[in-house]
Amino acid sequence: TSVAQAVSQPYPYSNFSANLQFTPQVLHGISEILRTRRRLALKSSSVRRASVLIPLCTIEGRPSILFQLRTDKVSSHKGQVSFPGGMDEAQDGGDPIRTALRETEEEMGISSKDVQILGVFDDTVRSNGLFVTPVVGHILHPVNIAEVAFNKEESASVFSLSIHHLLTTDVQWQTFPLPGGKGNTIQIPVFSGGPVPIWGLTARILHTFLTHILLSPDLESIVTSSSSSEPVPSRP
């Protein structure tokens, strides 16, 4: 599909959002927003489901998000950037958090014991109709990219982008024509800075998370008013 239009647009970030650290207060604030907001939950008994983890982490002192570049050996989305995740399996009991944690351990070698679950984000739909549930988690220890034991059959590499980069670098909005020839279009964000551009489902989830959670005025309000330094308890 050809690109009809590309527009560069910055995020309306503040000093708070562009310079935040994943302190206990900030993690508590993210968890509170996810807990109290009205989540978009897609329901259907006939559609298979998948889950992904949005892995928040700290790398060389910078709050960041982890991504993986998929190999050419995987069955779908070859050579594209994704969050760790996969299909719901019987052992997960229909729990998207279990699915996301299991897949993250399989794909990135990050144990579920090292991930602090902050909440479940809005469901979205992949181009093939699959329902995908993003789970927001924070890796409890500082991450060294060189030491991430990723699955080389599924991932060509693992990389990170800092929150500061994501919020202060203009995102490219590409407008694509929708199938059907009726002149309808869809705008899709494209993020730069990694080994290849981030687009598609991963970019849509990332954009929505940045907009509705990290750029939410509620986050700064919660952090400012919070006097607690206790971390959010992790979910097994």
Side-chain angles (χ1 to χ4, degrees):
T1 304
S2 61
V3 178
Q5 184 181 9
V7 178
S8 180
Q9 184 176 352
Y11 281 108
Y13 67 90
S14 64
N15 287 335
F16 169 81
S17 56
N19 295 291
L20 64 78
Q21 297 287 325
F22 289 141
T23 62
Q25 290 87 350
V26 167
L27 296 176
H28 170 71
I30 294 172
S31 181
E32 277 297 291
I33 293 173
L34 290 169
R35 183 182 66 83
T36 57
R37 71 190 292 271
R38 188 168 186 174
R39 189 178 83 85
L40 175 61
L42 302 175
K43 299 184 183 299
S44 173
S45 58
S46 60
V47 177
R48 289 201 66 190
R49 307 189 71 95
S51 297
V52 299
L53 184 75
I54 302 177
L56 309 181
C57 62
T58 298
I59 298 178
E60 297 180 349
R62 296 189 298 270
S64 306
I65 299 179
L66 279 182
F67 303 90
Q68 60 184 356
L69 177 63
R70 294 166 66 84
T71 67
D72 291 331
K73 301 177 184 178
V74 293
S75 59
S76 63
H77 302 286
K78 302 175 187 291
Q80 295 183 19
V81 175
S82 73
F83 293 118
M87 299 300 299
D88 172 58
E89 296 183 0
Q91 61 186 296
D92 303 324
D95 185 347
I97 293 177
R98 290 184 181 179
T99 303
L101 289 175
R102 174 180 54 76
E103 289 286 345
T104 298
E105 187 158 2
E106 291 176 4
E107 295 176 358
M108 287 189 172
I110 298 173
S111 171
S112 59
K113 298 177 182 177
D114 295 325
V115 180
Q116 174 186 10
I117 295 299
L118 302 178
V120 179
F121 195 43
D122 294 341
D123 289 347
T124 188
V125 183
R126 210 168 76 175
S127 57
N128 62 358
L130 182 74
F131 290 176
V132 179
T133 301
V135 175
V136 184
H138 174 248
I139 300 174
L140 292 169
H141 54 80
V143 172
N144 183 337
I145 289 290
E147 296 177 355
V148 177
F150 61 90
N151 183 338
K152 292 181 173 58
E153 289 296 312
E154 298 190 28
S155 302
S157 64
V158 170
F159 69 96
S160 69
L161 292 177
S162 72
I163 300 300
H164 183 272
H165 170 86
L166 290 168
L167 294 182
T168 60
T169 302
D170 287 4
V171 61
Q172 297 292 319
W173 284 91
Q174 296 185 349
T175 303
F176 292 87
L178 287 172
K182 296 181 179 180
N184 296 323
T185 61
I186 183 172
Q187 281 196 321
I188 299 176
V190 179
F191 295 86
S192 62
V196 299
I198 302 172
W199 65 287
L201 178 73
T202 302
R204 286 195 283 120
I205 294 173
L206 176 59
H207 168 70
T208 309
F209 174 73
L210 294 176
T211 302
H212 292 284
I213 306 301
L214 293 192
L215 289 173
S216 169
D218 293 338
L219 180 59
E220 183 170 2
S221 297
I222 293 171
V223 171
T224 302
S225 62
S226 175
S227 58
S228 171
S229 61
E230 292 295 324
V232 181
S234 60
R235 173 172 173 170

